[in-house]
């Protein structure tokens, strides 16, 4: 082979290797945000100079994205903490949101394995719809008003209304979430970027819409009878005994003999419609009046709430420690195909308390286009149910076929959703005043999975000295 021919073959390969290396290096400096992918400056000297605090940041803590290589271990974090640095939250790739004390020179990052630094732009803190000025109708208020959730950055105090007024910003605090700490605020939508520019603000999104319901075959379809079959002598009797479930729905339930003596209702909860009775009977109705209409966990205990504010989730940690509630079920929609603060906090709650499992209906909006880009897909209805650690449940008929109305994934960021499917079509369940009713939709599928979860907890405890399994094991087992 002549040298010229070999060179013609080698040079394109060499060019391909160089291009691939450049692409990989650029990818290594990527910062993946909900607002899109940004890239750190690979020149550290230049990045430190561009990200240096300006005059407006001279007298207060300031915040930056900091990319590390390698990621700091516990000892490195302790050294940075001793210098007054706070690592608030992790972002891919290899990036932490870091706040610095006033007067800190970014050159001090060099010994800590810093790879690059970037300023945080106000647009990075705005939900995509707000950044695009696609104002959700349910959040509009007055000529320019908008109801939003503002998530503060930990360790920073939000300015009070007086200080904001001095800055020319319109602001009215409506509430502070008791469990998650985000603020519900009435703002002038033309001032969103000015609010997002404040170091104390971590994230801003529109408030979610008001919650709306997701409206013997099931026990067989779910293989529930293999866990609890009282008709067969010596068979397992894993019926959820000793396990507590929390459900929030349209109001108070009952009376019904199928749940009598196994329900505590939220104080002051007024009698609701038929929806709450239907979902609770599927989860834990005993079939006392008619054994054909038993639910899943026939001996489980129920704590019943109204849906407003999602108290069964907001108070889940308290319910876990004081009442032993490990499972919740929610059959309500809350927007469509949106990753929100609710998504993040639900996941965080389970990560920090791994024996909690939240189960949700996936929704009945299969024909909707919720911004995913393909009609009929990407229409899971709500924030919490988009989570990585929760379960969103699709709707099957009694032939194991998904119903046409059942919402479909993927999630907004491309993950598989729903997580699982269950019978939600034409289920017979409890109704008020010792009656029965036909349930339907993913509303009926969610409590079925919640009830089975209670049965699995009962089974695990029976084989493991009373220990409660962590929800990732339960979720993986069912999936």
């Amino acid at each position: 082979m002549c040298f010229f021919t070999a060179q013609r073959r080698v040079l394109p390969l060499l060019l391909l290797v160089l291009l691939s290396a450049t692409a990989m290096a650029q990818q290594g400096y990527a910062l993946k945000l909900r607002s899109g992918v940004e890239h750190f400056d690979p020149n550290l000297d230049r990045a430190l100079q561009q990200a240096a605090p300006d005059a407006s940041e001279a007298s207060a803590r300031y915040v930056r994205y900091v990319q590390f290589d390698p990621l700091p271990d516990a000892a490195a974090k302790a050294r940075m903490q001793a210098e007054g640095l706070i690592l608030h939250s992790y972002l891919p790739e290899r990036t932490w949101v870091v706040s610095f004390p006033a007067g800190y020179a970014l050159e001090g990052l060099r010994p800590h394995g810093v790879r690059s630094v970037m300023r945080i732009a106000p647009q990075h803190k705005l939900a995509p719809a707000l950044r695009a000025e696609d104002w959700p109708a349910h959040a509009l208020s007055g000529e320019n008003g908008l109801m939003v959730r503002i998530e503060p950055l930990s360790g920073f105090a939000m300015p009070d209304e007086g200080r904001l007024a001095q800055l020319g910003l319109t602001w009215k605090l409506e509430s502070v979430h008791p469990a998650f700490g985000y603020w519900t605020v009435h703002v002038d939508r033309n001032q969103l970027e000015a609010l997002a520019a404040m170091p104390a603000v971590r994230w801003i999104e529109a408030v979610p819409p008001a919650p709306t319901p997701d409206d013997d075959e099931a026990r067989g379809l779910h293989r529930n009878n293999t866990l609890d079959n009282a008709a067969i002598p010596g068979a397992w009797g894993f019926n959820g005994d000793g396990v507590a479930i929390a459900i929030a729905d349209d109001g108070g339930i009952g009376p019904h003999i199928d749940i009598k003596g196994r329900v505590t209702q939220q104080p002051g909860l007024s009698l609701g419609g038929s929806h709450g009775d239907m979902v609770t009977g599927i989860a834990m109705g005993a079939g006392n009046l008619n054994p054909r209409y038993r639910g899943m966990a026939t001996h489980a205990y129920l704590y019943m709430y109204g849906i407003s504010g999602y108290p069964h989730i907001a108070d889940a940690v308290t319910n876990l420690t004081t009442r032993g509630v490990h499972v919740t079920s929610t059959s309500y929609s809350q927007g469509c195909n949106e990753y929100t603060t609710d998504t993040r906090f639900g996941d965080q709650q389970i990560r920090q308390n791994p024996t909690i499992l939240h189960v949700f209906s996936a929704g009945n909006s299969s024909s909707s286009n919720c911004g995913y880009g393909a009609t009929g897909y990407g229409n899971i209805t709500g924030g919490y149910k988009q989570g990585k650690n929760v379960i969103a449940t699709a709707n099957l008929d009694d032939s194991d076929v998904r119903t046409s109305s059942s919402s479909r994934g993927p999630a907004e960021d491309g993950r598989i959703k729903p997580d699982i499917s269950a019978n939600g079509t034409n289920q017979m369940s409890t109704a008020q005043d010792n009656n029965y009713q036909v349930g339907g939709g993913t509303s009926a599928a969610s409590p079925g999975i919640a009830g089975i979860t209670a049965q699995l907890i009962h089974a695990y405890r029976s084989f493991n000295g009373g220990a409660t399994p962590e929800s990732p094991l339960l979720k993986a087992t069912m999936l």
Side-chain angles (χ1 to χ4, degrees), residues 21 73 114 118 137 145 174 204 269 294 297 301 317-318 342 385 405 463:
D73 56 18
V114 61
M118 186 191 304
E174 299 291 338
I204 304 177
L269 187 63
R294 286 183 298 165
Y301 197 89
V317 177
T318 300
D342 288 334
K385 60 187 76 175
S405 62
F463 294 122

Side-chain angles (χ1 to χ4, degrees), residues 47-86:
L48 290 171
Q49 183 179 2
Q50 292 173 346
D54 55 34
S56 66
E57 300 168 309
S59 59
R61 293 191 71 87
Y62 62 97
V63 187
R64 297 290 186 269
Y65 298 128
V66 181
Q67 190 180 54
F68 293 92
D69 188 16
L71 280 170
D73 56 18
K77 291 177 182 177
R79 290 192 296 271
M80 285 186 277
Q81 185 177 5
E83 296 177 15
L85 280 62
I86 300 176

Side-chain angles (χ1 to χ4, degrees), residues 431-449:
Q432 293 169 6
D433 300 319
N434 289 308
N435 291 309
Y436 289 104
Q437 62 177 319
V438 175
T442 58
S443 279
S446 174
I449 294 298

Side-chain angles (χ1 to χ4, degrees), residues 7-18:
Q7 187 182 50
R8 282 194 304 176
R9 294 181 178 179
V10 170
L11 286 178
L13 289 173
L14 181 60
L15 179 60
L16 179 62
V17 170
L18 290 173

Side-chain angles (χ1 to χ4, degrees), residues 277-282 293 427-431 435-439:
D277 293 89
M278 180 268 291
V279 299
T280 57
I282 292 170
Y293 302 150
Q427 280 208 59
M428 189 64 75
S429 184
T430 52
N435 291 309
Y436 289 104
Q437 62 177 319
V438 175

Side-chain angles (χ1 to χ4, degrees), residues 403-469:
T403 59
S404 59
S405 62
S406 186
S407 289
R408 307 177 189 183
E412 184 185 16
D413 59 4
R415 287 175 293 110
I416 293 175
K417 284 285 174 179
D419 301 284
I420 199 167
S421 302
N423 182 212
T425 302
N426 295 329
Q427 280 208 59
M428 189 64 75
S429 184
T430 52
Q432 293 169 6
D433 300 319
N434 289 308
N435 291 309
Y436 289 104
Q437 62 177 319
V438 175
T442 58
S443 279
S446 174
I449 294 298
I452 292 170
T453 302
Q455 290 182 275
L456 291 175
I457 292 173
H458 182 187
Y460 186 94
R461 287 174 176 174
S462 298
F463 294 122
N464 293 277
T468 298

